[in-house]
Amino acid sequence: MLISELHAAAHSLYLFRPPYQSVRPIAPDWLPGPDIPHGEAIVWCISGVRDSTDECTALMARRPGMPLIVILPPPEEIAGAYKCLQMLHELRAKGVLPYVEIDAVSALRSVLYAPPVRIGQSLSSYLAGRGLLNGDALRGYVSRIFDLAPQVRSVSKLSSALCMSRRTLGRHFAAAGLPVPSHWLQFARLLHAIFQLQRNGPSVFHVACKLGYPDGFTMSNQMKRILGLRPSEIRGVLGWEWIVERWLRRERCAVPTMIGAAG
């Protein structure tokens, strides 16, 4: 189905989930269950000719970890969709696709497949939007952790790279009620591994060695311990927001359960 055909269909909201071969229409009052999403995304075909109040309300109530991909209306409807377009930042849309004659599934997969260009900045912004990082200093520390993770393998080296003592770094995170720096570093390293595994290219052993693990078995065991998942369960499941939410829950971080309550 082409993007233009998807937009012309009777529905405006769709669920896009593994194995990412089609989209399923959902009603505006549809809400996921209490479980953390597992690679799902919501697709919203914005209309410039009908009221979208119910859709906006439903999207604000979606669970964190479920990204939103927006498909713009045809050019002649853009003016009528202005109010919806103003909401995209508040709705934290992951990607915006134009109204074009290309395959919808391929385009949606491309949005989910691409890791952040600036990983540290994207992750710290996402976590700040979830209400976890209060202040520029904390955002900066977390951003640097995710950027440094492929090269830094200990908290001692991490704190040195951040120009502070290990104890001082730990105090900053403890004061904010956040997981200890070592947990952030462990998760950040795994997230970099997951970005590579989702590409279905490199072997687990190759990814593990590239990121400084002694072997694939060690990385797999750490992934199971920290995220409750094995590398085989990561392959073919796109997106990173659901991975972050899974880690937050396992770390027992207190965060809002709806997008609209998160910022």
Side-chain angles (χ1 to χ4, degrees):
M1 176 180 285
L2 302 178
I3 282 183
S4 57
E5 294 173 331
L6 186 66
H7 206 292
H11 295 84
S12 58
L13 294 176
Y14 299 87
L15 183 66
F16 190 50
R17 60 181 304 177
Y20 308 110
Q21 295 177 350
S22 62
V23 293
R24 176 170 68 87
I26 55 176
D29 60 356
W30 177 88
L31 287 174
D35 293 335
I36 294 173
H38 193 79
E40 296 95 343
I42 293 180
V43 181
W44 182 25
C45 294
I46 293 181
S47 171
V49 296
R50 64 174 180 268
D51 181 33
S52 298
T53 303
D54 290 344
E55 296 162 7
C56 289
T57 301
L59 292 171
M60 289 295 289
R62 77 186 192 277
R63 293 194 67 81
M66 181 170 283
L68 170 66
I69 303 175
V70 169
I71 297 178
L72 295 176
E76 61 271 17
E77 293 183 21
I78 289 290
Y82 182 70
K83 185 176 180 180
C84 292
L85 297 176
Q86 287 183 307
M87 292 284 294
L88 295 188
H89 178 72
E90 188 175 354
L91 290 169
R92 299 186 179 126
K94 182 182 181 71
V96 178
L97 294 172
Y99 181 92
V100 288
E101 300 291 327
I102 61 174
D103 180 67
V105 169
S106 296
L108 294 171
R109 281 180 60 91
S110 295
V111 174
L112 286 183
Y113 177 80
V117 175
R118 297 179 179 86
I119 293 176
Q121 185 182 73
S122 297
L123 268 292
S124 62
S125 294
Y126 179 85
L127 292 164
R130 296 288 286 113
L132 278 173
L133 306 180
N134 296 317
D136 293 338
L138 269 177
R139 289 187 64 169
Y141 299 150
V142 169
S143 179
R144 290 283 285 155
I145 289 173
F146 281 98
D147 286 337
L148 291 167
Q151 295 81 38
V152 174
R153 301 164 192 174
S154 71
V155 176
S156 296
K157 290 184 177 179
L158 173 66
S159 57
S160 178
L162 294 175
C163 301
M164 67 182 71
S165 70
R166 179 172 178 167
R167 180 174 296 180
T168 300
L169 180 61
R171 281 203 300 265
H172 283 296
F173 282 82
L178 296 173
V180 296
S182 61
H183 286 200
W184 285 93
L185 182 58
Q186 290 168 1
F187 173 62
R189 293 181 70 200
L190 287 176
L191 192 62
H192 279 271
I194 287 168
F195 288 146
Q196 297 184 49
L197 291 171
Q198 288 179 333
R199 295 179 179 272
N200 283 318
S203 67
V204 174
F205 176 81
H206 177 81
V207 172
C209 291
K210 186 177 180 180
L211 289 170
Y213 295 95
D215 50 52
F217 184 73
T218 301
M219 186 183 76
S220 178
N221 281 347
Q222 188 173 73
M223 189 176 293
K224 181 66 175 179
R225 178 175 60 83
I226 292 175
L227 296 174
L229 298 167
R230 293 286 185 186
S232 59
E233 298 174 278
I234 295 292
R235 290 193 186 275
V237 183
L238 304 179
W240 52 267
E241 293 88 347
W242 68 276
I243 299 285
V244 174
E245 294 299 327
R246 192 177 185 95
W247 179 69
L248 292 177
R249 179 175 291 188
R250 291 177 74 88
E251 287 284 342
R252 298 177 181 174
C253 295
V255 290
T257 58
M258 295 189 306
I259 291 293

